[in-house]
């Protein structure tokens, strides 16, 4: 619901603040006073077109702001949109803004943050509907017709059952498509996978093998140098050289000297024990070096085999992974894919059976959904035509066109035809209208805008009130070309509509204006040589004066007529409330 409207330097409005209440708000005033400017401002706030001519002369910018109470019916959709853009501040309210600058730039804002104009349009579709000369007409959007018909027909349970089947069928078809695409390439894929598995299996890889091979290759490649180093070490320990005795002999003498020392000075017995341990360790080193020397292998053939094995491993790593573990994992995955491909034919047959069963279920569910829609369409047509007759459009016809699109792969009808379907069912829905007898039904979207269209919208809105989730409806020129009697009927219908929606109506008829829960007067004034538009909320006395003016001029007789008009409207509203 629109709660506040701020307009600054827009057309001939200098500064305007409006606070709006639930129910029916009527706007009256002389032609040219600026009533249409209010609608232009609201249209701009929901993403309508703007240009620099809308900026008040002498100003560099125009500023428009509106605050809406988020409706319960659209709360989830509005919240999801705001959360998607990280703009949700208050769960109950949202503000839309539009700034027009003289250089041609426009800035859109939501909750004070700059956004794309398309976001204003998206949010506006949940918040506001302008009927009349504006292009922002939800009922002229063919894509909305099916949704409105479904809500009118109250077929939610049947529609949800259909959608569950549709989602299951779509999932099966998606799986089938993937399997069939895989099956087309199965032979080549099997050959490749078998080759990869066999190549890896033939290598008989072992975890940790590569590191051990590298160490063995290094030993074989450096066998001569290793033998020479080991022999040198052994000679120094056991044989010495011409200029010095062996290390073992020198260490033995040191041990003997420390043994003698410890016998004289027992406090140094630990030194003797350390020396004795060192001598034992040296003897162990000598034995280990000798064994190592005996194991050194001068084997060119084994070196060649080791290098070939490492080349094989490196080749497999280049193809299948960065190390032996990933190569082995690749082989395991290839085996799994081979098993999957081998079972694909059976899986395809299974999914085809499920697809056929689900398509049969979908056909039955979709046919029932269509039956409910066609039944509701007849009721909707009759109800709208009755409303149009009340609105001085007797003889106007309204119908809902439901048709199918043929599709050889689609759902089967009882007569054997196959038709296209989607998540909403089989039906392609469009509202048709013949405003005058003999003209023939035409698509609603081709009907010209103006008072006739506004009355059509009012008729539809009254009938579809429980199906329409947009909280604020605006009607402009709805009383064009009609008299006071029909104006009272329109006022009554707008008042009824305003029990479920907030309704704003621009009118020239006092009989209609009298039904307003709020009444605003739009007038032009001249201040310092500048023309300005002002909007005043009228109290009881001011309202009687305005209604009298609309009845032909302020006089005692017209005041009395205004009082009578207001009283009759209130009496009728009371009857409708009690009824």
């Amino acid at each position: 619901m629109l709660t506040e409207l701020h307009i600054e330097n827009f057309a001939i409005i200098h500064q305007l603040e409006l606070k709006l209440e639930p129910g029916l708000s009527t706007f009256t005033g002389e032609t040219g006073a600026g009533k249409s400017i209010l609608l232009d401002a609201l249209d701009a706030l929901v993403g309508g077109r703007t240009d620099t001519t809308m900026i008040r002369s002498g100003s560099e910018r125009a500023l428009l702001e509106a605050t809406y109470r988020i409706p319960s019916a659209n709360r989830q959709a509005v919240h999801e949109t705001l959360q998607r853009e990280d703009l949700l501040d208050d769960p109950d309210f949202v503000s839309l803004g539009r700034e027009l600058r003289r250089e041609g730039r426009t800035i859109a804002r939501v909750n004070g943050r700059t956004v794309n104009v398309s976001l204003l349009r998206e949010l506006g579709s949940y918040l506001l509907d302008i009927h009349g000369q504006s292009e922002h007409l939800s009922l002229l959007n063919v894509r909305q017709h099916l949704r409105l018909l479904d809500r009118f027909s109250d077929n939610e349970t049947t529609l949800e059952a259909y959608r569950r089947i549709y989602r299951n069928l779509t999932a099966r078809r998606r799986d089938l498509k993937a399997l069939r695409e895989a099956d087309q390439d199965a032979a080549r894929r099997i050959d490749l996978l078998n080759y990869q598995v066999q190549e890896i299996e033939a290598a008989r890889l072992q975890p940790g093998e590569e590191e051990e091979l590298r160490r063995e290759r290094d030993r074989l490649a450096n066998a001569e140098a290793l033998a020479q180093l080991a022999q040198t070490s052994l000679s120094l320990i056991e044989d010495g050289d011409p200029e010095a005795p062996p290390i073992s002999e020198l260490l033995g003498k040191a041990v003997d000297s420390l043994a003698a020392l410890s016998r004289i000075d027992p406090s140094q017995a630990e030194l003797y024990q350390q020396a004795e341990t060192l001598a034992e360790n040296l003897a162990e080193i000598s034995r280990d070096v000798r064994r190592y020397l005996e194991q050194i292998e001068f084997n060119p053939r084994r070196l060649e085999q080791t290098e070939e094995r490492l080349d094989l491993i490196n080749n497999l790593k280049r193809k299948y992974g960065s190390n032996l573990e990933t190569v082995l994992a690749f082989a395991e995955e290839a085996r799994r894919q081979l098993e999957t491909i081998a079972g694909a034919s059976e899986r395809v047959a299974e999914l085809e059976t499920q697809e056929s069963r689900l398509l049969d279920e979908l056909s039955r569910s979709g046919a029932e959904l269509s039956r409910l829609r066609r039944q509701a369409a007849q009721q909707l047509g009759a109800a709208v035509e009755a409303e149009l007759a009340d609105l001085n459009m007797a003889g106007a016809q309204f119908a809902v066109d439901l048709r199918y699109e043929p599709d050889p792969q689609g759902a089967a009808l009882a007569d054997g035809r196959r038709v296209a379907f989607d998540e909403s069912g089989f039906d392609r829905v469009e509202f048709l209208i013949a405003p005058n007898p003999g003209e023939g039904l035409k698509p609603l979207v081709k009907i010209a805008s103006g008072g006739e269209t506004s009355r059509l919208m009012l008729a539809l809105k009254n009938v579809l009130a429980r199906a329409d989730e947009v909280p604020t409806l605006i009607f402009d020129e709805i009383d064009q070309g009609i008299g006071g009697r029909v104006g009272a009927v329109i006022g009554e219908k707008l008042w009824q509509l305003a029990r479920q929606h907030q309704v704003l109506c621009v009118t020239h008829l006092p009989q209609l204006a009298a039904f307003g829960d709020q009444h605003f007067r739009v007038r032009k004034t001249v201040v310092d040589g500048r023309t300005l538009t002002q909007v005043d909320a009228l109290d009881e006395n001011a309202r009687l004066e305005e209604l009298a003016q609309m009845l032909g001029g302020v006089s005692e007789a017209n005041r009395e007529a205004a009082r009578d008009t207001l009283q009759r409207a209130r009496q009728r509203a009371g009857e409708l409330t009690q009824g």
Side-chain angles (χ1 to χ4, degrees):
M1 185 191 85
L2 179 62
T3 59
E4 295 180 10
L5 177 64
H6 172 79
I7 302 176
E8 185 178 323
N9 295 327
F10 187 75
I12 58 173
I13 297 177
H14 173 48
Q15 189 123 359
L16 176 64
E17 297 279 351
L18 280 185
K19 293 188 180 297
L20 295 148
E21 300 294 336
L24 173 61
S25 296
T26 55
F27 292 80
T28 60
E30 295 180 2
T31 300
K35 298 184 294 297
S36 62
I37 296 174
L38 293 175
L39 304 189
D40 289 341
L42 288 168
D43 186 55
L45 281 165
V46 290
R49 293 181 180 178
T50 61
D51 58 63
T52 56
T53 61
M54 295 178 172
I55 302 174
R56 184 169 177 260
S57 177
S59 300
E60 291 302 313
R61 67 166 193 167
L63 182 63
L64 310 172
E65 293 177 336
T67 300
Y68 291 88
R69 182 184 294 276
I70 300 174
S72 57
N74 284 337
R75 181 177 292 263
Q76 182 177 352
V78 173
H79 281 188
E80 288 176 356
T81 302
L82 294 173
Q83 287 170 341
R84 184 189 72 212
E85 305 293 336
D86 195 24
L87 293 169
L88 182 60
D89 293 340
D90 188 323
D92 296 322
F93 291 90
V94 61
S95 68
L96 307 184
R98 196 83 181 268
E99 182 179 337
L100 287 61
R101 295 188 176 178
R102 180 65 66 184
E103 72 271 15
R105 182 185 175 197
T106 68
I107 301 173
R109 293 188 178 91
V110 172
N111 287 337
R113 272 100 79 191
T114 302
V115 299
N116 194 290
V117 174
S118 62
L119 184 61
L120 287 186
R121 283 193 288 269
E122 182 178 354
L123 288 169
S125 68
Y126 299 120
L127 301 171
L128 181 70
D129 226 342
I130 303 176
H131 300 295
Q133 296 177 337
S134 169
E135 295 179 354
H136 189 69
L137 299 170
S138 68
L139 288 175
L140 298 188
N141 182 349
V142 175
R143 290 177 296 179
Q144 297 287 338
H145 295 179
L146 177 59
R147 182 182 65 83
L148 290 169
L149 178 62
D150 281 336
R151 289 179 61 83
F152 176 79
S153 64
D154 196 21
N155 61 13
E156 185 176 345
T157 301
T158 305
L159 179 58
E160 182 53 37
Y162 170 88
R163 284 177 172 166
R164 280 197 299 271
I165 300 171
Y166 174 83
R167 288 191 290 267
N168 287 335
L169 177 61
T170 302
R172 296 301 176 277
R173 287 187 164 180
R174 186 169 54 246
D175 293 343
L176 264 173
K177 181 182 178 182
L179 280 173
R180 285 168 177 157
E181 288 176 351
D183 190 52
Q184 291 175 357
D185 201 30
R188 184 191 65 81
R189 185 72 178 151
I190 288 172
D191 288 343
L192 176 60
L193 290 171
N194 276 325
Y195 171 80
Q196 292 170 334
V197 170
Q198 290 169 9
E199 184 178 32
I200 295 172
E201 287 180 344
R204 300 181 182 278
L205 300 174
Q206 299 295 325
E209 174 187 7
E210 183 179 15
E211 187 59 33
E212 180 58 36
L213 285 170
R214 291 185 186 280
R215 288 195 293 267
E216 182 179 2
R217 181 195 61 186
D218 291 342
R219 288 195 300 271
L220 290 169
N222 295 281
E224 184 176 351
L226 293 173
Q228 183 177 354
L229 291 170
Q231 185 60 57
T232 298
S233 300
L234 192 61
S235 296
L236 289 171
I237 294 172
E238 296 183 349
D239 302 328
D241 58 36
E243 298 179 0
I247 295 172
S248 56
E249 181 180 333
L250 293 173
L251 183 57
K253 291 180 179 180
V255 171
D256 291 342
S257 297
L258 290 172
L261 185 150
S262 65
R263 287 194 293 273
I264 298 171
D265 184 359
S267 66
Q268 299 303 311
E270 186 176 349
L271 279 176
Y272 163 65
Q273 292 172 357
Q274 291 176 1
E276 193 172 48
T277 300
L278 186 59
E280 292 173 355
N281 290 340
L282 184 62
E284 185 65 30
I285 290 172
S286 179
R287 288 191 294 273
D288 290 345
V289 171
R290 188 177 296 283
R291 281 194 297 269
Y292 176 76
L293 186 59
E294 292 170 355
Q295 293 172 1
I296 292 176
E297 183 180 9
F298 295 89
N299 190 338
R301 177 60 184 156
R302 177 57 185 164
L303 175 60
E304 182 180 351
Q305 291 173 344
T306 303
E307 289 180 338
E308 288 176 354
R309 180 69 175 172
L310 284 170
D311 287 342
L312 173 62
I313 291 173
N314 286 330
N315 183 48
L316 292 175
K317 284 165 57 179
R318 280 193 298 272
K319 291 182 178 180
Y320 308 119
S322 59
N323 53 53
L324 289 185
E325 285 71 22
T326 54
V327 173
L328 292 169
F330 184 95
E332 185 61 33
E333 173 62 18
R335 291 188 200 97
R336 188 195 64 77
Q337 290 184 32
L338 281 169
E339 292 174 0
T340 300
I341 293 174
S345 297
E346 295 179 4
R347 179 61 175 159
V348 166
E350 178 185 347
L351 288 176
E352 285 176 341
T353 301
Q354 293 179 15
E355 179 193 26
S356 178
R357 175 179 57 78
L358 286 168
L359 192 56
D360 288 342
E361 291 181 16
L362 188 89
S363 296
R364 291 191 294 273
S365 181
E368 173 62 14
L369 187 59
S370 286
R371 186 188 68 80
L372 293 174
R373 284 170 174 166
R374 291 179 187 279
Q375 180 179 311
Q378 293 178 354
Q379 298 170 354
L380 177 61
V384 171
E385 287 177 1
E387 291 282 337
L388 290 174
D390 290 342
L391 296 172
N392 203 29
M393 292 181 67
Q397 292 179 285
F398 178 87
V400 182
D401 178 39
L402 289 92
R403 55 187 172 79
Y404 300 138
E405 291 181 0
D407 182 352
Q409 305 302 318
L413 300 178
D415 59 8
R417 287 182 296 159
R418 288 194 173 271
V419 297
F421 62 89
D422 57 23
E423 191 175 10
S424 298
F426 307 162
D427 306 292
R428 303 297 179 262
V429 174
E430 185 170 8
F431 292 165
L432 306 178
I433 183 71
N436 301 300
E439 289 186 355
L441 291 165
K442 297 178 182 178
L444 179 61
V445 296
K446 295 183 179 180
I447 298 299
S449 62
E452 191 174 69
T453 304
S454 289
R455 276 177 276 165
L456 171 60
M457 292 303 135
L458 175 58
L460 283 167
K461 287 294 183 180
N462 270 322
V463 174
L464 297 173
R466 63 187 175 89
D468 196 342
E469 298 172 343
V470 179
T472 300
L473 310 176
I474 299 177
F475 291 90
D476 184 25
E477 295 188 352
I478 197 168
D479 52 9
Q480 185 180 39
I482 63 175
R485 186 186 65 81
V486 178
V489 174
I490 293 177
E492 178 182 320
K493 292 186 178 297
L494 284 174
W495 186 89
Q496 288 178 292
L497 185 60
R499 300 316 99 187
Q500 295 169 296
H501 300 265
Q502 180 190 45
V503 178
L504 280 61
C505 178
V506 173
T507 180
H508 296 283
L509 289 177
Q511 293 84 355
L512 192 162
F515 277 90
D517 298 293
Q518 279 185 298
H519 189 157
F520 295 92
R521 180 179 60 209
V522 183
R523 59 190 178 91
K524 284 196 296 188
T525 61
V526 178
V527 178
D528 296 331
R530 297 289 301 276
T531 301
L532 302 176
T533 290
Q534 290 185 314
V535 181
D536 305 311
L538 304 182
D539 59 19
E540 186 74 8
N541 291 331
R543 188 175 193 184
L544 287 172
E545 292 291 309
E546 176 68 7
L547 291 175
Q549 184 68 44
M550 296 173 72
L551 285 164
V554 179
S555 67
E556 193 55 42
N558 285 340
R559 285 194 186 94
E560 188 60 33
R563 189 175 291 106
D564 182 59
T565 300
L566 192 58
Q567 183 178 350
R568 284 201 306 268
R570 288 172 175 171
Q571 181 179 350
R572 182 57 181 150
E575 292 171 357
L576 292 170
T577 301
Q578 293 174 2

